[in-house]
Amino acid sequence: FMKGGSVKALVTQTTEGLSDELKEVTTQMALYLDNPATQSILLKPVVRKITRAVDDAQKFIEDAVDGEHGWDEGAREEVMTALKTIETAVKSGSTKQLVR
């Protein structure tokens, strides 16, 4: 379930597709909402939920035992870096995309 390799693959896939997904969401929102401030307000709960999920994942990964289920320092570092990238992209991307 939470094997190091599986988590790493999933987080990497998420990181790679995130930019396109953010663009798509903001494009779709712009079709119906002209005001960037309104769009930003509507995205805040989504950003908070993603941030909370990233925080929970980081806590789990910090507690993972080296040598069990494919976790080691290298895998942990790669996943943590990718999670930070996701968090940063979501926090900054949601506002950057809207302020055109």
Side-chain angles (χ1 to χ4, degrees):
F1 160 64
M2 293 294 281
K3 294 182 179 178
S6 299
V7 173
K8 180 180 164 188
L10 181 62
V11 171
T12 300
Q13 181 182 4
T14 301
T15 303
E16 290 170 353
L18 188 59
S19 179
D20 291 337
E21 290 297 325
L22 279 173
K23 287 177 187 174
E24 178 65 21
V25 167
T26 55
T27 299
Q28 292 298 317
M29 286 181 76
L31 292 174
Y32 301 99
L33 301 167
D34 285 337
N35 189 336
T38 303
Q39 294 175 23
S40 179
I41 290 168
L42 291 173
L43 281 175
K44 281 183 184 179
V46 176
V47 171
R48 268 185 272 157
K49 190 167 189 163
I50 293 170
T51 300
R52 198 172 308 126
V54 167
D55 289 343
D56 290 345
Q58 287 173 331
K59 289 175 187 170
F60 171 80
I61 293 164
E62 287 171 358
D63 293 341
V65 178
D66 285 351
E68 287 187 15
H69 308 291
W71 286 105
D72 60 21
E73 191 59 38
R76 184 178 292 106
E77 186 175 318
E78 286 181 50
V79 172
M80 295 294 257
T81 300
L83 287 172
K84 282 289 184 194
T85 301
I86 292 169
E87 185 174 29
T88 301
V90 168
K91 285 181 176 178
S92 66
S94 63
T95 55
K96 282 182 184 176
Q97 296 287 330
L98 296 173
V99 181
R100 301 175 243 218

